[in-house]
Amino acid sequence: MEIVIVRHRGPRAFLERAESWLLRREAENNLVLGVAASLVGARRRPAPASPAYFATIERDGEVAGCAFRTPPYKLGLTRLPLEAVPLLARHVAEVYDELPAVLGPDSVARAFGDAWGRLKGVGVTPGARQRIHTLERVVPPSRMAPGTMRRAGPADIPLVTRWLGSFVRESGLWDPGDTTERARRLCGVEGGNRLLALWVDGEPVSMAGFPAHTRHGVRIGYVYTPEAGRRRGYATTLVAALSSHALDLGFSHCVLYTDLANPVSNRIYRSVGYRPLQDVMDVEFG
């Protein structure tokens, strides 16, 4: 049984090789599919300080897993044979001197963390643990919060910038992105396949969006309600409404990540139809 790591020239070549394998578990592989597709579809992007990394882990000539990174973000991994991890770590080390973290299925992320720590002599710390949920049919909330959903627009950029900053800090997720630039992109998106939505009850009280999509699904993200508006059902109602909107657009499913350390959010999303699919975790370095 021969295992090799194949690095591809870019996201287009990567998808040509890996997309059919990734689509077998489309919801589980939503992150890499969304990242690669967005880069392929981008009209123009500034050249990164470090090269992007898109690789397939191949066993006996067949795709058995994938690894990807767009600096300065963490390395992402799909399910893959654990016996391939040491080889993958050495392959990644040929491209990057250091990594901030790795994200992947629990056993894969831990194995890569151990291999990278030994290879580079750096500290290894378990980070945030998340659960991927999927939804194919919305269950209406038992208690609908007052208000309506509307698309965020350019006038909302200052508010969304503040809320994105709070979301990143409170979630504890490692994110080096510029929240102002991200808010501009989210609030200026045209068309129906991506949007950031606000729940408005006299004034905006909660936000959620689908910033990325795959061939048949959308990923719900940036779910945030400021402290003053919590425990009133705003986020639950907004996620249900936004998920319904995505299905109405013709997508077959929605994907959503929850923090396993937050039992309230896990319970809320289950109540509107989300079901657990896979657990993933960060392993942080240095």
Side-chain angles (χ1 to χ4, degrees):
M1 180 179 66
E2 182 184 17
I3 293 179
V4 297
I5 312 300
V6 181
R7 185 182 176 197
H8 301 276
R9 296 188 306 276
R12 187 182 302 277
F14 168 74
L15 287 176
E16 288 173 356
R17 176 58 176 158
E19 187 174 32
S20 62
W21 183 86
L22 291 166
L23 286 173
R24 295 175 194 168
R25 295 185 174 92
E26 183 176 352
E28 176 182 312
N29 295 319
N30 71 91
L31 190 57
V32 60
L33 283 166
V35 168
S38 67
L39 290 175
V40 170
R43 295 181 180 179
R44 181 181 300 175
R45 283 182 177 268
S50 299
Y53 181 87
F54 288 94
T56 48
I57 294 84
E58 308 200 5
R59 181 167 54 190
D60 296 334
E62 299 291 335
V63 175
C66 297
F68 62 102
R69 186 185 182 214
T70 54
Y73 296 97
K74 67 191 79 171
L75 179 75
L77 302 177
T78 66
R79 65 171 66 209
L80 54 86
L82 293 182
E83 60 268 28
V85 167
L87 179 63
L88 176 62
R90 293 194 294 272
H91 193 271
V92 172
E94 294 175 1
V95 182
Y96 303 114
D97 291 331
E98 58 185 15
L99 294 172
V102 62
L103 168 67
D106 286 5
S107 60
V108 174
R110 290 182 186 275
F112 185 92
D114 291 342
W116 187 260
R118 290 192 300 270
L119 187 64
K120 291 293 186 176
V122 297
V124 177
T125 306
R129 296 188 65 230
Q130 301 178 78
R131 177 162 291 161
I132 305 175
H133 292 73
T134 61
L135 171 148
E136 296 178 352
R137 183 179 66 86
V138 175
V139 177
S142 57
R143 181 174 65 88
M144 294 288 292
T148 57
M149 182 178 74
R150 72 164 172 83
R151 180 188 294 268
D156 300 303
I157 290 173
L159 173 69
V160 172
T161 299
R162 293 196 303 273
W163 284 7
L164 284 174
S166 297
F167 169 80
V168 170
R169 288 192 299 273
E170 294 180 22
S171 67
L173 299 177
W174 186 87
D175 189 341
D178 183 328
T179 54
T180 301
E181 178 58 32
R182 183 171 300 164
R184 289 195 183 104
R185 291 199 306 269
L186 289 168
C187 294
V189 167
E190 299 294 337
N193 285 349
R194 293 184 296 171
L195 65 82
L196 184 76
L198 300 175
W199 192 260
V200 180
D201 183 13
E203 62 181 4
V205 293
S206 188
M207 73 173 182
F210 43 85
H213 64 90
T214 58
R215 182 176 297 181
H216 304 107
V218 298
R219 174 166 54 86
I220 303 292
Y222 303 123
V223 182
Y224 179 75
T225 304
E227 177 64 35
R230 293 175 187 170
R231 293 170 291 279
R232 301 183 184 181
Y234 291 134
T236 305
T237 305
L238 175 55
V239 168
L242 189 60
S243 302
S244 291
H245 179 65
L247 298 179
D248 289 344
L249 289 173
F251 292 102
S252 65
H253 64 270
C254 300
V255 178
L256 185 146
Y257 287 70
T258 63
D259 180 359
L260 280 174
N262 187 340
V264 174
S265 66
N266 284 272
R267 185 174 65 251
I268 285 172
Y269 299 132
R270 283 198 300 271
S271 74
V272 296
Y274 281 89
R275 297 293 178 260
L277 177 66
Q278 183 189 54
D279 288 357
V280 296
M281 69 178 294
D282 286 344
V283 174
E284 300 170 353
F285 304 120

